[in-house]
């Protein structure tokens, strides 16, 4: 394992590279250009390459039954994150506005996984320790914190990070409170109902959101330079509100995951005719529901769709899960290239703003492309994408290495000392930076007063 000093040094160099790419004129910029044919070609080319080079059959056994059920297994969910992330990033790179509604579903899918994954962990492991909590917060916020500091951006510019942090905290709170009763089904039902009621109270009743979040304006305020007249909490309200329910749906699916897996086990043991009839029925119903959702909801215009999204995003997610797991063969296959990309979704999300795209100003949306090879858009796409993915993977490793060093899993005393030290150093640095910012203002003011 590399030394902590070398990891910190490398991390600092990469942050300096972000600044070089996004805040200086060292590299050129170019405008985004959308071509549907090219967009779809690139995506399907990646699928073909992934299928040829990384198609894998997994034979792991279910920890619940000891049999090869693999319903919603880790390989599958990582692959799911990977192919969604590729489309999400291409949507931003090429400004593929016609896929806006699909991107909303992908983001809902990520938030669904936040509810599903965190519920599964806390419900099964029963680990509500300070170390586990700190490690999760580190994973979600370490990189984005330094991007905000170095590039003078607001936290909500990278809205995926505060969203996942919020919904992770809500799952942690729901299961952590009175956690010794989590084995009782009625208690879990009451907790899930309480989650729904909290969301309804905060997001559905006018005025409550502003009252609740206004004390946190220092953290969640955001003003887009292109839209300076919007309220500072508008972006946070909009982004968090779009997916306010889907994390709870993820919790429900996680709770019933063992039950569904046992049903699947019984189904696989049934006679061939019964097995095929049930799987066919599930497929037909899923495809029918998916088609109706596509025709009557997905095809809505952007603004209308946003109004329906919080209440309907669970439909395509459920359809995908049903079809992806309808047979034992489907469940055991995965494309590991997409699964690999799925592991670094947080890094690729954050880095796209600065080493792939460009905003050039604090808090600006990345409306431009980073151009290392001007006038050669495809060569530039190839080069910047390669650098971008390589740095993303490296930062994934660095974040985990530094997490192990600074957030120990079995030494709470050391962990608390690290938290206190980090807080003290942060306050000292903030004070020093505040002074340095004020000194030039004071020097300018004094001569003006003398004259």
């Amino acid at each position: 394992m590399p030394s902590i000093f070398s990891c910190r040094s490398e991390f600092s160099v990469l942050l300096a590279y972000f600044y070089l790419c996004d805040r200086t004129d060292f590299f050129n910029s170019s405008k985004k250009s959308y071509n549907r044919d090219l967009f779809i070609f690139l995506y399907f080319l990646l699928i073909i390459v992934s299928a040829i080079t990384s198609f894998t059959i997994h034979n792991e056994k279910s920890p619940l039954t000891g049999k090869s059920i693999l319903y919603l297994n880790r390989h599958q969910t990582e692959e799911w994150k990977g192919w969604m992330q590729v489309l999400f990033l291409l949507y931003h790179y090429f400004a593929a506005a016609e896929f806006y509604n699909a991107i909303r579903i992908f983001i809902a899918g990520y938030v669904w996984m936040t509810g599903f994954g965190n519920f599964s962990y806390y419900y099964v492991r029963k680990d509500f320790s300070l170390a586990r909590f700190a490690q999760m917060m580190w994973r979600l916020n370490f990189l984005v914190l330094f991007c905000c500091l170095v590039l003078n951006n607001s936290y909500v510019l990278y809205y995926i990070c505060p969203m996942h942090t919020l919904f992770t905290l809500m799952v942690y709170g729901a299961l952590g409170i009175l956690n010794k009763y989590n084995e009782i089904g009625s208690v879990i039902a009451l907790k899930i109902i309480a989650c729904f009621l909290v969301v309804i109270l905060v997001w559905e009743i006018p005025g409550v959101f502003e009252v609740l979040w206004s004390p946190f304006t220092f953290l969640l305020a955001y003003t887009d330079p292109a839209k300076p007249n919007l309220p500072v909490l508008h972006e946070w309200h909009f982004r968090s509100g779009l997916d306010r329910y889907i994390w709870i749906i993820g919790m429900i699916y996680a709770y019933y995951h063992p039950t569904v897996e046992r049903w699947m086990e019984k189904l696989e043991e049934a006679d061939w005719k019964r097995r095929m009839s049930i799987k066919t029925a599930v497929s037909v119903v899923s495809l029918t529901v998916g088609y109706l959702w596509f025709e009557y909801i997905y095809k809505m215009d952007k603004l209308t769709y946003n109004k329906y999204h919080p209440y309907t995003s669970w439909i395509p997610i459920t359809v995908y899960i049903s079809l992806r797991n309808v047979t034992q063969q489907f469940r055991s296959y995965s494309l590991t290239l997409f699964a690999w990309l799925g592991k670094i979704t947080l890094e690729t999300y954050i880095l796209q703003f600065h080493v792939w795209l460009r905003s050039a100003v604090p808090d600006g949306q990345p409306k431009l492309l980073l151009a290392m090879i001007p006038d050669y858009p495809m060569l530039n796409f190839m080069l910047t994408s390669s650098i971008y993915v390589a740095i993303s993977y490296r930062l994934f490793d660095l974040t985990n290495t530094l997490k192990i060093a600074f957030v120990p899993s079995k030494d709470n005393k050391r962990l608390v000392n690290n938290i206190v030290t980090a807080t003290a150093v942060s306050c000292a640095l903030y004070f020093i930076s505040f002074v340095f910012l004020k000194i030039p203002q004071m020097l300018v003011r004094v001569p003006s007063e003398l004259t």
Side-chain angles (χ1 to χ4, degrees):
M1 182 180 290
S3 70
I4 300 305
F5 177 78
S6 66
C7 287
R8 287 186 296 184
S9 300
E10 186 177 355
F11 186 78
S12 300
V13 169
L14 292 175
L15 288 173
Y17 179 71
F18 294 178
Y19 191 92
L20 178 72
C21 290
D22 194 33
R23 291 291 192 272
T24 73
D25 294 324
F26 186 83
F27 295 114
N28 293 318
S29 300
S30 61
K31 293 182 179 180
K32 297 181 181 181
S33 176
Y34 176 60
N35 179 289
R36 182 189 293 172
D37 180 50
L38 176 62
F39 182 92
I40 296 174
F41 164 76
L42 288 173
Y43 187 64
F44 278 93
L45 178 63
L46 183 60
I47 291 176
I48 293 169
V49 171
S50 180
I52 293 172
T53 61
S54 69
F55 179 83
T56 305
I57 301 174
H58 304 281
N59 297 309
E60 289 93 335
K61 305 296 182 182
S62 165
L64 297 171
T65 65
K67 298 185 178 181
S68 298
I69 301 302
L70 296 172
Y71 167 59
L72 277 174
N73 59 81
R74 185 63 176 267
H75 305 292
Q76 185 184 127
T77 54
E78 295 288 9
E79 177 203 74
W80 183 8
K81 287 195 293 183
W83 68 254
M84 288 195 303
Q85 185 73 351
V86 171
L87 277 173
F88 179 70
L89 295 171
L90 291 177
Y91 163 82
H92 281 162
Y93 192 90
F94 292 105
E98 66 173 311
F99 289 97
Y100 174 87
N101 293 354
I103 299 306
R104 296 273 67 81
I105 294 299
F106 298 162
I107 295 172
Y110 296 133
V111 178
W112 181 92
M113 288 187 216
T114 294
F116 180 86
N118 282 291
F119 184 98
S120 298
Y121 179 86
Y122 291 121
Y123 186 74
V124 174
R125 300 285 184 89
K126 302 175 177 61
D127 178 10
F128 299 95
S129 64
L130 174 63
R132 168 64 186 180
F133 178 80
Q135 288 171 349
M136 183 60 70
M137 292 300 103
W138 179 286
R139 175 75 186 103
L140 289 172
N141 293 291
F142 175 72
L143 177 57
V144 73
L145 170 64
F146 281 94
C147 287
C148 290
L149 293 173
V150 170
L151 296 155
N152 193 26
N153 284 332
S154 299
Y155 185 35
V156 175
L157 175 67
Y158 313 92
Y159 64 88
I160 292 292
C161 298
M163 270 179 53
H164 283 285
T165 299
L166 170 63
F167 297 132
T168 296
L169 289 172
M170 294 181 81
V171 176
Y172 181 85
L175 289 183
I177 296 171
L178 302 175
N179 60 80
K180 64 181 178 180
Y181 300 109
N182 284 347
E183 296 297 327
I184 303 173
S186 58
V187 172
I188 292 295
L190 288 173
K191 289 186 174 188
I192 289 174
I193 291 170
C195 289
F196 276 114
L197 292 175
V198 168
V199 171
I200 291 169
L201 174 65
V202 175
W203 278 274
E204 304 288 0
I205 299 178
V208 175
F209 183 92
E210 289 74 16
V211 171
L212 175 66
W213 292 109
S214 57
F216 302 96
T217 299
F218 71 96
L219 180 65
L220 298 170
Y222 171 75
T223 300
D224 185 345
K227 303 173 183 177
N229 297 322
L230 291 174
V232 293
L233 288 176
H234 169 81
E235 187 75 3
W236 176 235
H237 192 179
F238 172 68
R239 297 296 183 181
S240 61
L242 281 173
D243 298 306
R244 56 187 179 268
Y245 291 112
I246 195 65
W247 63 278
I248 309 176
I249 304 299
M251 290 173 62
I252 295 171
Y253 284 31
Y255 179 71
Y256 283 105
H257 180 273
T259 303
V260 174
E261 196 162 79
R262 284 192 291 269
W263 288 347
M264 287 183 169
E265 178 186 344
K266 291 180 180 179
L267 179 60
E268 294 299 331
E269 293 173 350
D271 62 85
W272 182 87
K273 185 176 180 180
R274 177 179 174 80
R275 188 166 68 246
M276 290 305 298
S277 62
I278 292 175
K279 291 180 179 182
T280 301
V282 169
S283 300
V284 170
V285 170
S286 298
L287 289 170
T288 303
V289 170
Y291 172 77
L292 293 173
W293 169 83
F294 180 80
E295 281 293 322
Y296 295 103
I297 297 176
Y298 179 82
K299 287 186 176 181
M300 292 176 176
D301 66 89
K302 172 181 175 178
L303 296 179
T304 305
Y305 176 79
N306 282 342
K307 296 176 182 178
Y308 286 87
H309 175 80
Y311 314 103
T312 61
S313 61
W314 64 273
I315 297 173
I317 290 172
T318 304
V319 168
Y320 173 78
I321 292 170
S322 298
L323 295 175
R324 183 67 175 82
N325 291 276
V326 73
T327 71
Q328 180 66 51
Q329 288 74 24
F330 283 177
R331 292 193 292 272
S332 62
Y333 299 158
S334 79
L335 302 180
T336 55
L337 175 58
F338 282 116
W340 179 80
L341 291 169
K343 292 179 181 178
I344 58 172
T345 51
L346 183 64
E347 287 74 20
T348 51
Y349 168 74
I350 295 171
L351 267 65
Q352 65 170 318
F353 288 82
H354 310 300
V355 301
W356 204 43
L357 311 175
R358 287 194 72 186
S359 59
V361 295
D363 281 343
Q365 294 295 325
K367 302 292 187 181
L368 301 171
L369 304 177
L370 180 67
M372 291 183 169
I373 311 177
D375 303 321
Y376 292 88
M378 297 313 298
L379 286 176
N380 183 70
F381 174 75
M382 179 186 68
L383 177 61
T384 57
S385 299
S386 301
I387 296 171
Y388 161 57
V389 173
I391 294 177
S392 296
Y393 183 72
R394 188 63 196 134
L395 280 169
F396 170 78
D397 275 347
L398 289 173
T399 300
N400 285 326
T401 301
L402 292 170
K403 180 185 72 175
I404 293 169
F406 291 105
V407 190
S409 58
K410 297 181 180 179
D411 189 346
N412 282 345
K413 183 177 179 181
R414 182 178 158 215
L415 174 58
V416 171
N417 286 337
N418 288 347
I419 293 173
V420 171
T421 302
T423 303
V425 170
S426 299
C427 291
L429 291 174
Y430 181 86
F431 176 75
I432 293 170
S433 63
F434 179 80
V435 170
F436 276 113
L437 286 172
K438 289 296 181 182
I439 287 176
Q441 298 175 14
M442 294 170 62
L443 292 176
V444 170
R445 192 181 301 120
V446 170
S448 64
E449 291 175 354
L450 291 176
T451 58

